[in-house]
Amino acid sequence: MTSSFTGTGSDSNLRSAEFPAGTLRVLQLTDTHLYANPVGTLLGINTLDSFQRVIDHFRNCHWPLDLLLATGDLVHDASPEGYRRVGEMLARFDVPVFCLPGNHDVPNIMRKHLRNDGVHTDSIIDHGEWRFIMLDSVKPGAEGGHLSDHELDLLDKALAGADRHTLVCMHHQPVNVGSAWIDTMAIDNPDPLFEIIDRYSHVRGILWGHIHQTFEGRHRNVRLMASPSTCVQFAPAFDNFKVDEEPPGFRLLALLPDGTIRSEVVRIDDVPQGLELASSGY
Protein backbone atom coordinates (compact mmCIF):
# COMPACT_ATOMS: atom_id res chain seq x y z
CA MET A 1 0.00 0.00 0.00
CA THR A 2 1.39 3.38 -1.00
CA SER A 3 0.19 6.92 -0.68
CA SER A 4 1.56 10.29 -1.68
CA PHE A 5 1.23 13.61 0.10
CA THR A 6 0.26 16.61 -1.97
CA GLY A 7 -0.18 19.10 0.83
CA THR A 8 -2.67 21.54 -0.70
CA GLY A 9 -6.13 20.51 0.45
CA SER A 10 -7.70 22.64 -2.28
CA ASP A 11 -8.57 22.04 -5.92
CA SER A 12 -9.92 25.54 -6.48
CA ASN A 13 -12.45 27.90 -5.00
CA LEU A 14 -15.46 25.58 -5.14
CA ARG A 15 -17.73 28.33 -3.92
CA SER A 16 -17.44 30.13 -7.26
CA ALA A 17 -17.25 27.04 -9.48
CA GLU A 18 -19.98 25.68 -11.74
CA PHE A 19 -20.77 21.97 -11.74
CA PRO A 20 -22.79 19.63 -13.95
CA ALA A 21 -26.29 18.56 -12.99
CA GLY A 22 -26.22 15.72 -10.48
CA THR A 23 -23.20 17.03 -8.55
CA LEU A 24 -23.47 16.52 -4.79
CA ARG A 25 -22.25 19.39 -2.63
CA VAL A 26 -21.00 17.96 0.66
CA LEU A 27 -19.72 19.56 3.86
CA GLN A 28 -17.41 17.69 6.23
CA LEU A 29 -17.26 18.84 9.84
CA THR A 30 -14.99 16.96 12.20
CA ASP A 31 -13.58 16.89 15.73
CA THR A 32 -16.00 19.36 17.29
CA HIS A 33 -15.15 18.16 20.85
CA LEU A 34 -18.23 19.63 22.51
CA TYR A 35 -18.96 19.12 26.22
CA ALA A 36 -22.01 18.77 28.42
CA ASN A 37 -21.02 22.16 29.84
CA PRO A 38 -21.40 24.83 27.11
CA VAL A 39 -18.35 26.68 28.45
CA GLY A 40 -16.10 23.61 28.21
CA THR A 41 -12.68 24.25 26.68
CA LEU A 42 -10.05 22.20 24.87
CA LEU A 43 -6.52 23.62 25.05
CA GLY A 44 -8.00 26.95 26.03
CA ILE A 45 -10.62 27.19 23.28
CA ASN A 46 -14.35 27.12 24.00
CA THR A 47 -15.28 24.36 21.58
CA LEU A 48 -18.96 25.30 21.34
CA ASP A 49 -18.14 28.91 20.47
CA SER A 50 -15.54 27.79 17.94
CA PHE A 51 -18.00 25.34 16.35
CA GLN A 52 -20.60 28.09 16.01
CA ARG A 53 -18.03 30.37 14.39
CA VAL A 54 -17.21 27.65 11.86
CA ILE A 55 -20.91 27.18 11.08
CA ASP A 56 -21.39 30.93 10.65
CA HIS A 57 -18.38 31.08 8.32
CA PHE A 58 -19.79 28.27 6.21
CA ARG A 59 -23.16 29.99 5.95
CA ASN A 60 -21.42 33.14 4.73
CA CYS A 61 -19.95 31.12 1.85
CA HIS A 62 -23.37 31.02 0.17
CA TRP A 63 -22.57 27.47 -0.98
CA PRO A 64 -25.63 25.27 -1.63
CA LEU A 65 -25.46 22.07 0.38
CA ASP A 66 -26.86 18.59 -0.29
CA LEU A 67 -25.30 16.50 2.47
CA LEU A 68 -23.26 16.87 5.67
CA LEU A 69 -20.73 14.35 7.04
CA ALA A 70 -19.60 14.58 10.67
CA THR A 71 -16.55 12.36 11.12
CA GLY A 72 -16.12 11.80 14.81
CA ASP A 73 -14.95 13.21 18.14
CA LEU A 74 -18.21 15.07 18.18
CA VAL A 75 -18.39 15.21 21.99
CA HIS A 76 -15.20 15.26 24.06
CA ASP A 77 -16.80 13.94 27.27
CA ALA A 78 -19.26 11.59 25.48
CA SER A 79 -22.12 13.16 27.44
CA PRO A 80 -25.79 12.81 26.46
CA GLU A 81 -26.12 16.59 26.83
CA GLY A 82 -23.25 17.15 24.42
CA TYR A 83 -24.77 14.82 21.82
CA ARG A 84 -28.16 16.44 22.11
CA ARG A 85 -26.56 19.85 21.60
CA VAL A 86 -24.49 18.86 18.57
CA GLY A 87 -27.50 17.05 17.09
CA GLU A 88 -29.62 20.19 17.39
CA MET A 89 -26.89 22.28 15.76
CA LEU A 90 -26.41 19.86 12.87
CA ALA A 91 -30.17 19.55 12.27
CA ARG A 92 -30.32 23.29 11.54
CA PHE A 93 -28.52 22.74 8.24
CA ASP A 94 -31.78 21.29 6.86
CA VAL A 95 -29.97 18.63 4.80
CA PRO A 96 -29.33 14.96 5.59
CA VAL A 97 -26.53 14.67 8.18
CA PHE A 98 -24.59 11.44 8.73
CA CYS A 99 -22.34 10.95 11.74
CA LEU A 100 -19.76 8.41 12.84
CA PRO A 101 -17.91 8.08 16.17
CA GLY A 102 -14.34 9.01 17.09
CA ASN A 103 -12.11 7.90 19.93
CA HIS A 104 -13.58 10.51 22.31
CA ASP A 105 -17.11 9.36 21.53
CA VAL A 106 -18.88 6.39 23.06
CA PRO A 107 -20.71 4.87 20.07
CA ASN A 108 -23.71 3.52 21.97
CA ILE A 109 -24.29 6.79 23.83
CA MET A 110 -23.79 8.74 20.62
CA ARG A 111 -26.30 6.69 18.66
CA LYS A 112 -28.87 6.93 21.46
CA HIS A 113 -28.72 10.70 22.02
CA LEU A 114 -27.47 12.23 18.78
CA ARG A 115 -30.48 11.46 16.64
CA ASN A 116 -32.46 14.51 15.60
CA ASP A 117 -34.55 15.46 12.58
CA GLY A 118 -32.33 14.69 9.61
CA VAL A 119 -29.35 13.57 11.75
CA HIS A 120 -28.45 9.91 11.32
CA THR A 121 -25.84 7.31 12.27
CA ASP A 122 -26.46 4.97 9.33
CA SER A 123 -23.54 3.00 7.93
CA ILE A 124 -24.56 3.02 4.25
CA ILE A 125 -26.13 5.96 2.44
CA ASP A 126 -27.07 6.22 -1.22
CA HIS A 127 -27.50 9.74 -2.53
CA GLY A 128 -27.62 10.57 -6.23
CA GLU A 129 -24.87 8.75 -8.11
CA TRP A 130 -22.88 8.18 -4.93
CA ARG A 131 -22.71 5.71 -2.04
CA PHE A 132 -21.29 6.75 1.33
CA ILE A 133 -19.94 4.10 3.70
CA MET A 134 -19.49 5.24 7.30
CA LEU A 135 -17.10 2.95 9.20
CA ASP A 136 -16.72 2.80 12.97
CA SER A 137 -12.97 2.74 13.68
CA VAL A 138 -13.28 3.20 17.46
CA LYS A 139 -11.19 0.82 19.55
CA PRO A 140 -12.72 0.88 23.05
CA GLY A 141 -10.36 2.32 25.62
CA ALA A 142 -7.78 3.41 23.06
CA GLU A 143 -6.95 6.62 21.24
CA GLY A 144 -5.94 4.75 18.10
CA GLY A 145 -8.29 3.02 15.70
CA HIS A 146 -9.16 -0.48 14.57
CA LEU A 147 -11.54 -1.85 11.96
CA SER A 148 -13.29 -4.90 13.36
CA ASP A 149 -14.20 -7.91 11.25
CA HIS A 150 -17.78 -6.63 11.33
CA GLU A 151 -16.78 -3.26 9.86
CA LEU A 152 -14.57 -4.84 7.21
CA ASP A 153 -17.35 -7.24 6.23
CA LEU A 154 -19.80 -4.33 6.08
CA LEU A 155 -17.41 -2.47 3.76
CA ASP A 156 -16.93 -5.47 1.47
CA LYS A 157 -20.65 -6.20 1.19
CA ALA A 158 -21.51 -2.51 0.67
CA LEU A 159 -18.99 -2.23 -2.15
CA ALA A 160 -20.10 -5.49 -3.74
CA GLY A 161 -23.76 -4.54 -3.45
CA ALA A 162 -23.66 -1.51 -5.72
CA ASP A 163 -21.32 -0.09 -8.35
CA ARG A 164 -22.06 3.55 -7.48
CA HIS A 165 -19.17 5.94 -7.03
CA THR A 166 -18.23 5.50 -3.38
CA LEU A 167 -16.73 7.66 -0.64
CA VAL A 168 -15.55 5.68 2.40
CA CYS A 169 -15.54 7.65 5.67
CA MET A 170 -14.01 6.91 9.09
CA HIS A 171 -12.52 8.78 12.02
CA HIS A 172 -8.95 7.50 12.25
CA GLN A 173 -6.34 7.82 9.53
CA PRO A 174 -5.65 4.62 7.55
CA VAL A 175 -2.21 5.88 6.40
CA ASN A 176 0.63 7.68 8.12
CA VAL A 177 0.32 11.45 7.77
CA GLY A 178 3.89 12.42 8.68
CA SER A 179 3.45 13.34 12.35
CA ALA A 180 5.04 10.59 14.41
CA TRP A 181 3.02 11.18 17.59
CA ILE A 182 -0.38 11.07 15.93
CA ASP A 183 0.59 8.25 13.59
CA THR A 184 0.81 6.05 16.71
CA MET A 185 -2.98 6.59 16.87
CA ALA A 186 -3.80 5.53 13.31
CA ILE A 187 -5.87 2.51 12.32
CA ASP A 188 -3.79 -0.47 13.43
CA ASN A 189 -4.98 -2.85 10.68
CA PRO A 190 -5.00 -0.88 7.42
CA ASP A 191 -3.94 -3.80 5.21
CA PRO A 192 -7.32 -5.62 5.12
CA LEU A 193 -9.00 -2.25 4.53
CA PHE A 194 -6.93 -1.56 1.42
CA GLU A 195 -7.19 -5.18 0.25
CA ILE A 196 -10.96 -4.65 0.09
CA ILE A 197 -10.68 -1.16 -1.42
CA ASP A 198 -8.36 -2.48 -4.15
CA ARG A 199 -10.96 -5.01 -5.32
CA TYR A 200 -13.48 -2.34 -6.28
CA SER A 201 -12.76 0.25 -8.94
CA HIS A 202 -15.74 2.41 -7.99
CA VAL A 203 -14.16 3.59 -4.71
CA ARG A 204 -13.26 7.23 -5.39
CA GLY A 205 -12.11 8.51 -2.02
CA ILE A 206 -11.44 7.90 1.67
CA LEU A 207 -12.25 10.72 4.09
CA TRP A 208 -11.40 11.00 7.79
CA GLY A 209 -10.87 13.34 10.75
CA HIS A 210 -8.85 12.75 13.96
CA ILE A 211 -5.60 14.44 12.91
CA HIS A 212 -6.83 18.05 13.29
CA GLN A 213 -4.99 19.13 10.13
CA THR A 214 -5.33 19.04 6.36
CA PHE A 215 -4.03 15.99 4.53
CA GLU A 216 -4.21 15.18 0.83
CA GLY A 217 -2.85 11.98 -0.64
CA ARG A 218 -3.60 9.17 -3.00
CA HIS A 219 -3.73 5.38 -2.87
CA ARG A 220 -3.63 4.20 -6.47
CA ASN A 221 -6.71 5.87 -7.96
CA VAL A 222 -8.36 6.58 -4.62
CA ARG A 223 -8.16 10.09 -3.18
CA LEU A 224 -7.20 10.33 0.51
CA MET A 225 -8.42 13.33 2.52
CA ALA A 226 -8.38 14.58 6.11
CA SER A 227 -9.56 17.90 7.40
CA PRO A 228 -9.04 20.51 10.11
CA SER A 229 -10.99 20.44 13.35
CA THR A 230 -13.69 22.96 14.17
CA CYS A 231 -11.64 23.85 17.28
CA VAL A 232 -7.93 23.17 17.97
CA GLN A 233 -5.44 22.35 15.19
CA PHE A 234 -2.35 20.10 15.37
CA ALA A 235 0.79 21.26 13.58
CA PRO A 236 1.68 18.95 10.66
CA ALA A 237 5.04 17.20 10.21
CA PHE A 238 6.10 17.34 13.88
CA ASP A 239 7.32 14.21 15.66
CA ASN A 240 5.94 15.43 19.01
CA PHE A 241 2.63 17.02 19.93
CA LYS A 242 2.44 20.64 18.83
CA VAL A 243 -0.53 23.00 18.64
CA ASP A 244 -0.90 24.81 15.32
CA GLU A 245 -1.75 28.49 14.94
CA GLU A 246 -4.00 27.79 11.93
CA PRO A 247 -7.67 28.69 12.49
CA PRO A 248 -10.45 26.09 12.67
CA GLY A 249 -12.14 25.04 9.44
CA PHE A 250 -14.07 22.57 7.36
CA ARG A 251 -13.91 20.75 4.04
CA LEU A 252 -16.16 21.23 1.04
CA LEU A 253 -16.51 18.41 -1.49
CA ALA A 254 -18.12 18.51 -4.90
CA LEU A 255 -18.87 14.92 -5.94
CA LEU A 256 -19.51 14.92 -9.67
CA PRO A 257 -21.78 12.38 -11.36
CA ASP A 258 -18.81 10.98 -13.32
CA GLY A 259 -17.01 10.05 -10.07
CA THR A 260 -14.67 13.04 -9.92
CA ILE A 261 -14.01 14.53 -6.48
CA ARG A 262 -13.23 18.21 -6.17
CA SER A 263 -12.48 19.55 -2.72
CA GLU A 264 -11.48 22.66 -0.83
CA VAL A 265 -10.48 23.23 2.79
CA VAL A 266 -11.84 26.50 4.18
CA ARG A 267 -10.83 28.14 7.47
CA ILE A 268 -12.39 30.92 9.52
CA ASP A 269 -10.59 34.26 9.60
CA ASP A 270 -8.68 33.95 12.88
CA VAL A 271 -7.83 31.67 15.77
CA PRO A 272 -10.33 31.80 18.67
CA GLN A 273 -9.01 33.51 21.78
CA GLY A 274 -7.41 31.51 24.57
CA LEU A 275 -5.48 28.92 22.54
CA GLU A 276 -2.74 27.33 24.66
CA LEU A 277 0.09 27.20 22.15
CA ALA A 278 2.65 25.98 24.68
CA SER A 279 0.67 22.87 25.65
CA SER A 280 2.48 19.53 25.46
CA GLY A 281 -0.69 17.46 25.09
CA TYR A 282 -4.37 17.16 25.94
Side-chain angles (χ1 to χ4, degrees), residues 194-210:
F194 284 104
E195 287 171 4
I196 294 170
I197 295 291
D198 290 346
R199 292 204 294 269
Y200 299 97
S201 61
H202 51 283
V203 179
R204 305 301 183 199
I206 303 176
L207 178 71
W208 65 88
H210 187 53

Side-chain angles (χ1 to χ4, degrees), residues 6 8 10 17 68 74:
T6 63
T8 63
S10 181
L68 192 156
L74 304 182

Side-chain angles (χ1 to χ4, degrees), residues 239-257:
D239 287 344
N240 299 312
F241 178 91
K242 182 175 175 59
V243 177
D244 201 350
E245 296 185 65
E246 287 283 349
F250 53 87
R251 182 181 287 271
L252 303 176
L253 301 105
L255 307 182
L256 278 60

Side-chain angles (χ1 to χ4, degrees), residues 187-239:
I187 287 174
D188 63 9
N189 60 333
D191 289 346
L193 167 70
F194 284 104
E195 287 171 4
I196 294 170
I197 295 291
D198 290 346
R199 292 204 294 269
Y200 299 97
S201 61
H202 51 283
V203 179
R204 305 301 183 199
I206 303 176
L207 178 71
W208 65 88
H210 187 53
I211 65 172
H212 290 234
Q213 60 190 257
T214 300
F215 179 86
E216 289 280 339
R218 188 163 291 275
H219 170 79
R220 300 184 180 178
N221 292 320
V222 177
R223 186 163 178 175
L224 308 176
M225 298 167 285
S227 307
S229 164
T230 65
C231 56
V232 177
Q233 311 308 305
F234 300 152
F238 277 82
D239 287 344

Side-chain angles (χ1 to χ4, degrees), residues 120-251:
H120 312 279
T121 56
D122 300 351
S123 297
I124 302 170
I125 309 104
D126 290 333
H127 203 299
E129 301 296 324
W130 285 78
R131 169 164 283 192
F132 301 83
I133 303 174
M134 310 290 281
L135 297 179
D136 181 348
S137 61
V138 173
K139 184 178 181 180
E143 294 180 321
H146 179 81
L147 292 171
S148 66
D149 290 345
H150 174 271
E151 295 298 305
L152 292 169
D153 187 55
L154 182 154
L155 174 66
D156 198 10
K157 289 179 178 176
L159 290 173
D163 60 359
R164 295 169 181 259
H165 309 305
T166 300
L167 182 67
V168 178
C169 305
M170 60 197 72
H171 179 68
H172 296 83
Q173 72 268 34
V175 297
N176 287 341
V177 300
S179 293
W181 72 273
I182 203 165
D183 282 331
T184 65
M185 296 181 282
I187 287 174
D188 63 9
N189 60 333
D191 289 346
L193 167 70
F194 284 104
E195 287 171 4
I196 294 170
I197 295 291
D198 290 346
R199 292 204 294 269
Y200 299 97
S201 61
H202 51 283
V203 179
R204 305 301 183 199
I206 303 176
L207 178 71
W208 65 88
H210 187 53
I211 65 172
H212 290 234
Q213 60 190 257
T214 300
F215 179 86
E216 289 280 339
R218 188 163 291 275
H219 170 79
R220 300 184 180 178
N221 292 320
V222 177
R223 186 163 178 175
L224 308 176
M225 298 167 285
S227 307
S229 164
T230 65
C231 56
V232 177
Q233 311 308 305
F234 300 152
F238 277 82
D239 287 344
N240 299 312
F241 178 91
K242 182 175 175 59
V243 177
D244 201 350
E245 296 185 65
E246 287 283 349
F250 53 87
R251 182 181 287 271

